[in-house]
Amino acid sequence: MKPEVLVVGPLMPHVMTALEADYRIHKLYEAEDRAAYLAKIGPGVRGIATATGANAELMDALPQLEIISSFGVGVDSVDLVHAAARNIIVANTPDVLNDDVANLAVLLLLACSRRLVAYDSYVRKGAWLETSPPLARSVRGRKVGILGLGRIGKDIATKLAVFGCEVVYHGRRAQPEVDYPFFADLEEMARQSDYVIVICPGGAATHNIVNRGVLDALGPEGTLINVARGSVVDEPELVAALVEGRLGGAGLDVFADEPRVPEALFALDQVVLQPHQGSATTETRRAMGDLQVDNLAAYFSGKGVLTPVE
Ligand code: NAP
Ligand code: 8YV
């Protein structure tokens, strides 16, 4: 008999096709009465496939739940503590997205330094006919502080070498195997950096760690790039720092309450905004979907998941 898998929200078409072939699928997002639906199908469900997390309440509606296969590397929307307490395995999709997420981080950094979006609009609105715009800034020789030198952070650091940037990093601990200088203090790293790129996990441990002190340390000549999670940055403080000119610029792919973005940012031409697109290429999203499916397949064939969250 096919194992029963609950699909929390819509997944990529190729993922749905693969899941429908191998499992008895239940689509929670099509249920009109979610509680009644879970009460009916919950007892038979052994797996969850999700791109939007899984909370304790959902897990507890599924007494036989064994595995959660999550689309994406960040698992801040999965209650990992509750999953561990229930011995539920959680799998994610790391590494296959490093290249594209790192590319977006570098793209945002370059777009901010060369004022790419502001000058695009300068041409379109005919301002160039009147005068040339102010000079932008070079990235060569400038210091980039990476908050979270993990899989994606290391990829960003490698790419930045091509542009002649100097890389330093902050995390909970120094990594003896890397050559980049380590800052134990995030605020001090920001003070000494021209750019700070945020690429650590979201969740309680990193909530608002980029606070007013860090933003002010980065300062009016500094730029913040966030491709991690909106929760890592104190968003009202970020908006205030940009509006008041205490922070020079920002390149933002992620926000505290997506898809809502503070409207005050729309008027600021020193800010480049993206709708959470780090991994959003056809190639990377396909690879992420394949890994989500492969994790379930490996688990249900008794081999153990390929990429467990540890
Ligand atoms: P990873 O390999 O686990 O790296 C995370 C890094 O963050 C590690 O170097 C870790 O270093 C550091 N870190 C963890 N907790 C920290 C804390 N409390 N304070 C400071 N640093 C901390 O993760 P990854 O695969 O590179 O992914 C990173 C994150 O990027 C994901 O969790 C996700 O939220 C985000 N992401 C966003 C997009 C997008 O579309 N924008 C796409 C993919 C991923 P230490 O252990 O030394 O602290
Ligand atoms: C995805 C991401 O957009 O992997 C992550 O952590 O933020 C992105 O790759 C997201 O997870 C899709 O749900």
Side-chain angles (χ1 to χ4, degrees):
M1 220 167 67
K2 289 179 176 180
E4 295 185 37
V5 169
L6 180 72
V7 180
V8 177
L11 298 173
M12 294 187 71
H14 80 284
V15 174
M16 291 307 295
T17 304
L19 295 182
E20 272 158 0
D22 290 337
Y23 307 98
R24 191 166 156 217
I25 294 299
H26 303 287
K27 298 177 182 172
L28 183 58
Y29 55 98
E30 287 184 351
E32 274 177 24
D33 181 340
R34 200 179 142 111
Y37 184 73
L38 286 172
K40 188 171 144 218
I41 60 96
V45 169
R46 295 175 62 199
I48 283 180
T50 181
T52 51
N55 61 23
E57 190 189 359
L58 178 61
M59 291 181 215
D60 285 346
L62 313 171
Q64 306 300 325
L65 184 64
E66 297 163 43
I67 174 170
I68 298 170
S69 182
S70 187
F71 179 88
V73 65
V75 282
D76 44 304
S77 58
V78 177
D79 189 333
L80 296 178
V81 174
H82 197 72
R86 289 258 326 260
N87 285 324
I88 298 164
I89 291 164
V90 180
N92 63 348
T93 62
D95 288 318
V96 293
L97 41 57
N98 293 355
D99 192 45
D100 272 323
V101 181
N103 283 350
L104 188 73
V106 174
L107 180 61
L108 285 170
L109 186 149
L110 291 171
C112 288
S113 67
R114 298 305 299 265
R115 301 181 59 78
L116 188 77
V117 175
Y119 288 175
D120 176 275
S121 110
Y122 193 90
V123 173
R124 288 171 198 258
K125 69 186 183 201
W128 192 23
L129 297 169
E130 308 298 325
T131 180
S132 288
L135 297 179
R137 294 297 303 268
S138 173
V139 297
R140 179 161 297 280
R142 302 188 80 200
K143 194 178 279 186
V144 181
I146 298 183
L147 165 50
L149 192 73
R151 291 169 290 228
I152 302 170
K154 288 191 177 77
D155 211 341
I156 293 170
T158 303
K159 289 174 194 284
L160 286 176
V162 173
F163 297 98
C165 296
E166 186 189 338
V167 168
V168 300
Y169 73 102
H170 167 77
R172 290 167 297 184
R173 61 189 74 83
Q175 302 180 42
E177 68 282 8
V178 305
D179 288 335
Y180 309 111
F182 171 70
F183 280 81
D185 184 57
L186 174 57
E187 194 171 308
E188 187 53 31
M189 181 177 82
R191 188 166 292 110
Q192 294 195 30
S193 297
D194 300 296
Y195 301 86
V196 166
I197 299 181
V198 184
I199 187 61
C200 61
T206 57
H207 185 257
N208 284 0
I209 60 172
V210 178
N211 55 23
R212 185 181 176 115
V214 172
L215 296 169
D216 281 347
L218 188 52
E221 297 296 317
T223 299
L224 183 82
I225 307 295
N226 189 2
V227 286
R229 286 289 182 269
S231 63
V232 182
V233 178
D234 186 327
E235 197 166 78
E237 286 291 352
L238 172 65
V239 173
L242 287 163
V243 169
E244 293 163 22
R246 287 183 284 110
L247 179 67
L252 306 172
D253 184 43
V254 288
F255 303 88
D257 184 26
E258 296 171 6
R260 282 158 289 279
V261 173
E263 283 188 24
L265 295 177
F266 298 166
L268 304 179
D269 72 358
Q270 72 275 38
V271 175
V272 178
L273 304 171
Q274 284 288 295
H276 201 144
Q277 290 293 290
S279 66
T281 64
T282 306
E283 296 80 1
T284 289
R285 285 287 170 85
R286 172 164 274 281
M288 291 162 66
D290 287 346
L291 186 49
Q292 182 179 31
V293 170
D294 291 348
N295 271 321
L296 281 172
Y299 177 78
F300 283 115
S301 66
K303 293 182 203 135
V305 297
L306 305 174
T307 49
V309 174
E310 261 130 24

